[in-house]
């Protein structure tokens, strides 16, 4: 059979042999959340309601898509690590759906948007480096923001003055300002703010009450039943060092 001039497109199909072995990362980031946070009176620099809402949404996404082996979130972003590509577009609906559970007195003024990007990482090392990059970003931003807002809220500086004060300072300088001027040991700030949130699958005991079927004289009585479920559990730990990966070898080495 003669080949059509379009036949060449089949060559592209041969190219995907490496893809099934690669990690696929989808990072979602809130669109213009600077404005969204202002409009919805987010606490500065960290609003624990907003972070818990993000975590809840990410857990929901993970429960819906079992292909996700680990997720990492900080600020207005979440990265989902997929074993392979899947349908991940349920994020915004979750955020709106669960809003009231976390922001009781703050009405949702307009629906948030999230941009998404997909990146393929070819090895465990590049995936770990990707997640380390996001956690390092969380640390750098949070340390800066913690001092920045302390200078404004507690010392009465304007944003411009606070920015000038921090220009050229190193991490050690910022720690020192927090300690000497605000009596704050940065290491005692909440872990979720400093480390972000890691979601991994863990076995947890789930207690439910069930109606007892038999014997007949016990009918209608309730009984607590404990069963083990695997759920996405939030951790606020370091993922840059080796300890986390040694403690959870199944994340990277589970073959399926
Ligand atoms: P983008 O992503 O280019 O559309 O623009 P933004 O404004 O979303 O910028 P981005 O993603 O680089 O930075 C996240 C913004 O979200 C940042 O302006 C601060 C805000 N944000 C995130 N979490 C919190 C929070 O807990 N409290 C407050 N006050 N703001 C937050
Ligand atoms: Mg963005
Ligand atoms: Mg941005
Ligand atoms: Mg954003
Ligand atoms: Mg962001």
């Amino acid at each position: 059979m003669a080949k059509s001039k379009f036949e060449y497109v089949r060559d592209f199909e041969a190219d995907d042999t490496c893809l099934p072995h690669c990690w696929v990362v989808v990072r979602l980031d809130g669109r213009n959340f600077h404005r969204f946070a202002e409009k919805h009176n987010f606490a500065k620099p960290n609003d624990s309601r907003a972070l818990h809402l993000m975590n809840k949404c990410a857990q929901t996404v993970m429960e819906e898509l079992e292909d996700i082996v680990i997720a990492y979130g900080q600020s207005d972003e979440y990265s989902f690590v997929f074993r392979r590509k899947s349908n991940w577009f349920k994020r915004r609906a979750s955020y709106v759906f669960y809003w009231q559970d976390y922001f009781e007195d703050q009405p949702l003024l307009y629906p948030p948007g999230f941009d998404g990007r997909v990146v393929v990482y070819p090895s465990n090392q590049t995936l770990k480096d990707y997640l380390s990059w996001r956690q390092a970003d969380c640390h750098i931003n949070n340390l800066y923001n913690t001092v920045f807002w302390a200078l404004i809220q507690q010392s009465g500086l304007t944003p411009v003055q606070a920015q000038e004060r921090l220009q050229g300072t190193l991490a050690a300088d910022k720690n020192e300002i927090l300690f000497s001027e605000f009596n704050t040991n940065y290491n005692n700030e909440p872990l979720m703010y400093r480390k972000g949130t890691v979601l991994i699958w863990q076995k947890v005991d789930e207690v439910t009450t069930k109606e007892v079927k038999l014997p007949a004289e016990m009918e209608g009585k309730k009984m607590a039943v404990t069963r083990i479920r695997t759920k996405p559990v939030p951790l606020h730990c370091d993922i840059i060092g080796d300890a986390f990966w040694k403690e959870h070898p199944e994340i990277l080495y589970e073959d399926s």
Side-chain angles (χ1 to χ4, degrees):
M1 208 162 67
K3 289 186 173 184
S4 82
K5 67 171 180 176
F6 303 115
E7 187 81 12
Y8 81 96
V9 298
R10 290 191 55 178
D11 293 346
F12 287 89
E13 292 175 21
D15 249 353
D16 71 359
T17 45
C18 161
L19 203 55
H21 302 286
C22 287
W23 296 104
V24 175
V25 175
V26 175
R27 183 168 78 249
L28 299 182
D29 181 285
R31 204 183 125 261
N32 199 359
F33 257 48
H34 183 76
R35 174 170 183 266
F36 188 80
E38 285 292 337
K39 291 274 180 205
H40 293 89
N41 303 308
F42 280 23
K44 289 168 174 146
N46 291 291
D47 190 311
S48 69
R49 298 169 302 174
L51 296 169
H52 283 122
L53 173 57
M54 290 285 282
N55 293 344
K56 171 69 186 177
C57 297
Q59 278 171 295
T60 306
V61 169
M62 241 170 124
E63 303 224 31
E64 282 169 9
L65 307 172
E66 281 164 11
D67 282 357
I68 300 169
V69 291
I70 184 171
Y72 176 73
Q74 55 124 335
S75 182
D76 68 337
E77 68 169 57
Y78 241 101
S79 298
F80 298 96
V81 180
F82 286 75
R83 210 157 273 295
R84 52 188 176 276
K85 254 189 169 178
S86 194
N87 161 33
W88 60 78
F89 287 106
K90 295 199 170 155
R91 185 102 173 72
R92 183 162 95 179
S94 282
Y95 199 96
V96 173
F97 187 77
Y98 292 113
W99 175 268
Q100 275 297 308
D101 292 352
Y102 294 87
F103 285 86
E104 288 164 14
D105 305 322
Q106 172 62 58
L108 182 61
L109 301 175
Y110 61 94
F114 293 87
D115 71 45
R117 63 195 70 195
V118 182
V119 189
V120 173
Y121 293 99
S123 65
N124 287 354
Q125 192 55 52
T126 49
L127 176 68
K128 284 198 274 187
D129 288 347
Y130 167 79
L131 293 168
S132 297
W133 173 51
R134 297 323 304 148
Q135 190 165 59
D137 185 79
C138 175
H139 165 71
I140 292 164
N141 289 333
N142 190 58
L143 178 57
Y144 184 95
N145 290 336
T146 303
V147 194
F148 181 79
W149 286 105
L151 289 168
I152 292 167
Q153 292 166 345
Q154 295 179 53
S155 293
L157 270 61
T158 66
V160 171
Q161 287 170 331
Q163 196 192 340
E164 281 167 357
R165 175 80 200 278
L166 292 175
Q167 202 131 46
T169 56
L170 305 174
D173 304 322
K174 295 186 186 78
N175 276 306
E176 183 53 32
I177 295 173
L178 282 174
F179 196 72
S180 57
E181 291 181 35
F182 302 106
N183 203 19
T184 298
N185 182 342
Y186 182 72
N187 290 328
N188 295 336
E189 290 293 291
L191 271 172
M192 181 167 68
Y193 300 168
R194 290 187 290 123
K195 301 290 181 192
T197 300
V198 187
L199 294 175
I200 57 172
W201 293 99
Q202 289 197 326
K203 288 191 171 72
V204 290
D205 288 343
E206 194 180 62
V207 182
T208 50
T209 50
K210 271 193 178 167
E211 219 155 280
V212 182
K213 292 271 155 61
L214 287 166
E217 64 267 22
M218 283 178 72
E219 215 172 310
K221 289 201 176 151
K222 303 245 165 144
M223 211 175 103
V225 179
T226 306
R227 52 175 199 154
I228 296 173
R229 264 196 65 194
T230 308
K231 278 185 161 178
V233 173
L235 306 173
H236 310 292
C237 61
D238 176 85
I239 54 171
I240 296 175
D242 283 338
F244 172 80
W245 301 101
K246 284 198 174 125
E247 205 178 315
H248 304 285
E250 70 284 354
I251 297 170
L252 297 179
Y253 295 104
E254 180 193 60
D255 28 36
S256 62

